[in-house]
């Protein structure tokens, strides 16, 4: 292993960190918003809302993200009507395609994570709310949601890290994120080992950083939400 | 005896089925304002189901329930009206764990009654003083003992100014040394003329506070009498057997 090659590659790859972060944060924001919508559909108690949401999650969790990216980037543009719609603004751009694919995917996973949180809120708390006269909306907003978020937080943190790693797939559709740049550097230096090792180290440090901040958040808001036994 | 005041709670041949299982069978019960009723009976006899039907936590499947003039049907306005009159205390406290004690006591006042914050907090502090733990207002439920949590739960229900309080085994989840602090609060409440329906096996409480003790078995009201009669001359042999079993402890 030639350390100087790794050290040379590092600053070049770090130039792509901004793009990696953009992919991560945009996909996370859009995906989470989508997940909240899908969650509300799933727990609405109306089959014509919950069934589509369920089908959506099933399909997006059951197919590889890479395939989803390819379908969106290579597949969708063949539809004439799509190229003429406003969606084309997003779809003609590889960055837009990558964000869209990652967001749709994250949406499916986060829906399940949030649903797990909602289901684990003790029924007795909701009964207490009902007995106090709180409406079902009030119970959801003030009891279910805050407790579900606390319960879902660790799994959500894992999902962010998983998304961070998935952003590397954007390099397959010409984007110069960290992985994209690494591939260019490898093509120039013929040193895949050194370059990819230092790339891996960058990802691992970022994952560590995310995990640390999630622990912080959990410790802050989950301080007294320890669940009682019985 | 019950002729001069009309009942605040009236159940007429109420039945409740869970699928094929009959949890309540032909229950008739009238509770007058200010009356204190204790319900006891073996586990699974339908005590919780009965009081949960009174504030529509469960939906009865036959018969009629009228609370303070509102008949419980699918009409949400009647359910809201009834829940406004009734406070409920659960075996497992059910305090909102992510809220401070004070917020546990103010949240429903603010959302349901639209009480301004300062006023809601004043009401909350008033009732925390009544249950003798005003100093715990800023803590979270998990930081309190079981007895304190249950007293907070009672105060939380009282903040809504109910005319009726339902208790479902309020002391069964508590360590023995904490039972009396909760019972004391309940005795106080009885002294103020609150209408109370309590599921409990605290026979000392029943003797000193109840106007009437009811024994349930397999979904039916088997026997009801004033405490003196109930404990000394139970008419039904299942009641007698039950009393022998619990008084042995
Ligand atoms: N949600 C429910 N679904 C099915 N069966 C129930 C449900 N709730 C209560 N039961 C049954 O009804 C019976 C009476 O329950 P409950 O009223 O809780 O008894 P108790 O409070 O006297 O111990 C029990 O046999 C219980 O299993
Ligand atoms: Mg019970």
């Amino acid at each position: 292993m030639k350390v100087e090659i790794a050290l040379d590659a590092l600053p070049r790859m770090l130039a792509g960190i901004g793009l990696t972060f953009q992919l991560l944060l945009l996909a996370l924001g859009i995906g989470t918003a989508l997940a909240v919508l899908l969650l509300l559909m799933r727990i609405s108690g109306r089959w014509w809302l919950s069934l589509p949401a369920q089908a959506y999650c099933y399909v997006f969790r059951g197919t590889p993200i890479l395939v989803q990216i390819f379908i969106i980037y290579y597949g969708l543009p063949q539809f004439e009507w799509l190229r003429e719609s406003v969606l084309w603004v997003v779809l003609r751009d590889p960055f837009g395609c990558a964000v869209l694919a990652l967001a749709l995917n994250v949406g499916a996973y986060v829906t399940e994570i949030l649903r797990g949180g909602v289901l684990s809120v003790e029924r007795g708390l909701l009964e207490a709310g009902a007995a106090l006269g709180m409406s079902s909306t009030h119970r959801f907003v003030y009891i279910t949601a805050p407790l579900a978020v606390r319960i879902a937080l660790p799994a959500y943190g894992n999902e962010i890290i998983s998304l961070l790693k998935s952003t590397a797939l954007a390099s397959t559709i010409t984007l110069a994120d960290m992985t994209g740049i690494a591939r260019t550097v490898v093509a120039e230096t013929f040193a895949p080992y050194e370059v990819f090792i230092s790339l891996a180290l960058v990802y691992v440090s970022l994952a560590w950083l995310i995990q640390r901040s999630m622990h912080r958040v959990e410790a802050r808001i989950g301080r007294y939400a320890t669940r009682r036994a019985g | 005896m019950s002729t001069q005041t009309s009942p605040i709670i009236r159940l007429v041949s109420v039945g409740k089925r869970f699928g094929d299982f009959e949890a309540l069978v032909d229950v008739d019960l009238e509770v007058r304002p200010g009356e204190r009723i204790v319900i006891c009976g073996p586990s699974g006899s339908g005590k919780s189901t009965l009081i949960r039907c009174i504030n529509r936590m469960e939906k009865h499947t036959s018969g009629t329930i009228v609370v303070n003039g509102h008949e419980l049907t699918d009409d949400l306005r009647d359910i809201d009206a009834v829940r406004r009159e009734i406070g409920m205390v659960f075996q497992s406290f059910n305090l909102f764990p992510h809220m401070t004690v004070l917020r546990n006591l103010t949240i429903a006042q603010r959302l349901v009654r639209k009480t301004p914050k300062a006023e809601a907090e004043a009401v909350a502090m008033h009732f925390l003083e009544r249950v003798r733990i005003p100093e715990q207002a800023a803590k979270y439920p998990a930081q309190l003992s079981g007895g304190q949590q249950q007293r907070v739960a009672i105060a939380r229900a009282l903040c809504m100014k109910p005319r009726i309080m339902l208790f479902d085994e309020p002391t069964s989840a508590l360590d023995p040394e904490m039972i009396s602090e909760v019972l004391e609060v309940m005795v106080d409440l009885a002294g103020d003329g609150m209408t109370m329906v309590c599921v409990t096996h605290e026979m000392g409480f029943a003797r000193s506070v109840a106007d009437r003790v009811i024994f349930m078995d397999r979904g039916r009201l088997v026997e009801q009498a004033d405490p003196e009669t109930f404990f000394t001359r139970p008419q039904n042999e299942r009641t007698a057997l039950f009393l022998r079993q619990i008084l042995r402890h």
Side-chain angles (χ1 to χ4, degrees):
Chain A
M1 164 142 178
K2 300 202 186 66
V3 177
E4 60 275 24
I5 295 183
L7 287 178
D8 283 347
L10 205 55
R12 287 184 66 186
M13 290 185 310
L14 284 177
I17 204 170
L19 188 57
T20 294
F21 269 122
Q22 281 174 37
L23 289 167
L24 176 71
L25 294 178
L26 273 174
L28 188 66
I30 298 169
T32 304
L34 175 67
V36 170
L37 186 74
L38 287 165
L39 170 77
L40 292 175
M41 289 168 70
R42 278 208 69 169
I43 63 174
S44 65
R46 297 188 190 111
W47 66 266
W48 47 274
L49 286 174
S50 80
L51 221 59
Q54 221 170 318
Y56 175 93
C57 292
Y58 188 76
V59 168
F60 276 85
R61 294 192 327 147
T63 49
I65 307 188
L66 188 59
V67 174
Q68 293 164 17
I69 291 177
F70 285 168
I71 290 176
I72 290 172
Y73 184 66
Y74 296 114
L76 293 187
Q78 66 176 284
F79 296 106
E80 181 81 37
W81 58 270
L82 254 179
R83 291 204 301 273
E84 279 153 17
S85 74
V86 283
L87 275 177
W88 190 238
V89 182
V90 175
L91 292 175
R92 67 163 179 222
D93 172 20
F95 178 76
C97 286
V99 168
L100 182 67
L102 292 170
L104 293 177
N105 198 270
V106 164
Y109 280 93
V110 173
T111 303
E112 292 299 319
I113 290 171
L114 292 178
R115 200 173 80 96
V118 165
L119 291 180
S120 61
V121 173
E122 274 175 71
R123 239 190 58 179
L125 300 178
L126 300 173
E127 286 188 346
L132 289 165
M134 291 167 69
S135 67
S136 54
T137 311
H138 281 155
R139 295 196 298 263
F140 183 80
V141 172
Y142 292 95
I143 305 170
T144 307
L147 290 171
V149 164
R150 283 164 171 79
I151 293 164
L153 218 49
Y156 186 69
N158 288 340
E159 186 52 34
I160 300 178
I161 290 173
S162 169
L163 175 62
L164 168 71
K165 294 180 289 180
S166 301
T167 58
L169 295 171
S171 67
T172 60
I173 52 172
T174 76
L175 284 174
D177 71 324
M178 292 194 300
T179 305
I181 296 172
R183 289 168 63 175
T184 313
V185 176
V186 168
E188 290 166 5
T189 58
F190 307 106
Y193 183 63
E194 286 80 357
V195 174
F196 285 133
I197 285 281
S198 58
L199 177 64
L201 288 175
V202 174
Y203 277 109
V204 119
S205 323
L206 289 180
W208 179 80
L209 218 67
I210 292 172
Q211 200 160 30
R212 279 297 302 268
S213 3
M214 287 309 289
H215 277 320
R216 280 258 172 88
V217 176
E218 276 166 45
R220 266 196 77 84
I221 77 169
R223 236 176 322 178
Y224 298 111
T226 43
R227 296 204 332 133
R228 288 185 310 269
Chain B
M1 175 166 131
S2 63
T3 43
Q4 70 276 43
T5 35
S6 56
I8 191 166
I9 304 172
R10 189 157 56 90
L11 281 72
V12 183
S13 59
V14 167
K16 169 67 186 175
R17 309 180 72 103
F18 292 107
D20 280 343
F21 179 77
E22 290 192 287
L24 291 179
V25 187
D26 201 22
V27 171
D28 290 305
L29 176 67
E30 291 196 349
V31 181
R32 285 170 287 113
E35 208 179 1
R36 292 157 319 229
I37 309 263
V38 162
I39 302 175
C40 60
S43 173
S45 57
K47 307 178 297 294
S48 298
T49 306
L50 173 61
I51 66 167
R52 289 162 58 81
C53 281
I54 296 174
N55 69 344
R56 199 65 164 192
M57 291 290 113
E58 300 287 357
K59 199 167 152 180
H60 60 290
T61 41
S62 60
T64 315
I65 301 179
V66 183
V67 179
N68 205 28
H70 299 277
E71 179 174 351
L72 282 173
T73 58
D74 284 330
D75 192 329
L76 291 175
R77 278 165 306 177
D78 284 316
I79 296 173
D80 281 345
V82 163
R83 287 189 182 156
R84 258 198 292 282
E85 307 294 343
I86 301 181
M88 187 169 209
V89 175
F90 303 83
Q91 182 176 350
S92 50
F93 328 137
N94 291 339
L95 295 177
F96 308 130
H98 56 302
M99 299 179 192
T100 61
V101 165
L102 189 64
R103 192 154 153 76
N104 262 279
L105 269 63
T106 53
I107 179 116
Q109 296 186 64
R110 306 213 37 212
L111 294 174
V112 182
R113 296 263 202 270
K114 315 279 181 229
T115 312
K117 185 165 183 231
E119 192 186 327
E121 288 182 351
V123 170
M125 287 314 297
H126 169 76
F127 284 107
L128 278 181
E129 264 152 42
R130 292 236 3 222
V131 301
R132 304 183 196 113
I133 35 174
E135 73 283 359
Q136 310 289 353
K139 289 197 181 162
Y140 284 83
Q143 296 173 296
L144 305 184
S145 73
Q148 291 173 324
Q149 288 190 49
Q150 192 61 299
R151 285 186 282 154
V152 171
I154 294 172
R156 178 176 67 176
L158 293 175
C159 282
M160 302 306 282
K161 311 274 174 67
R163 298 189 58 195
I164 303 164
M165 285 286 284
L166 305 176
F167 293 84
D168 192 357
E169 305 207 32
T171 57
S172 325
L174 296 176
D175 294 331
E177 72 273 17
M178 294 172 188
I179 290 177
S180 62
E181 66 188 54
V182 171
L183 290 180
E184 275 163 28
V185 167
M186 291 170 64
V187 171
D188 276 1
L189 205 55
D192 292 349
M194 176 69 78
T195 308
M196 295 166 72
V197 181
C198 313
V199 175
T200 181
H201 291 160
E202 291 299 329
M203 290 303 139
F205 174 79
R207 260 181 214 277
S208 61
V209 169
D211 296 306
R212 211 173 353 144
V213 185
I214 294 175
F215 175 70
M216 284 188 76
D217 193 26
R218 285 175 242 164
R220 294 172 191 274
L221 300 199
V222 174
E223 179 156 359
Q224 43 180 314
D226 62 276
E228 179 59 24
T229 315
F230 185 87
F231 288 112
T232 53
R233 293 180 309 270
Q235 304 298 301
N236 190 292
E237 79 184 68
R238 274 185 283 168
T239 315
L241 180 65
F242 176 76
L243 286 175
R244 276 201 300 280
Q245 280 167 351
I246 61 165
L247 293 177
R248 205 180 300 142
H249 301 303

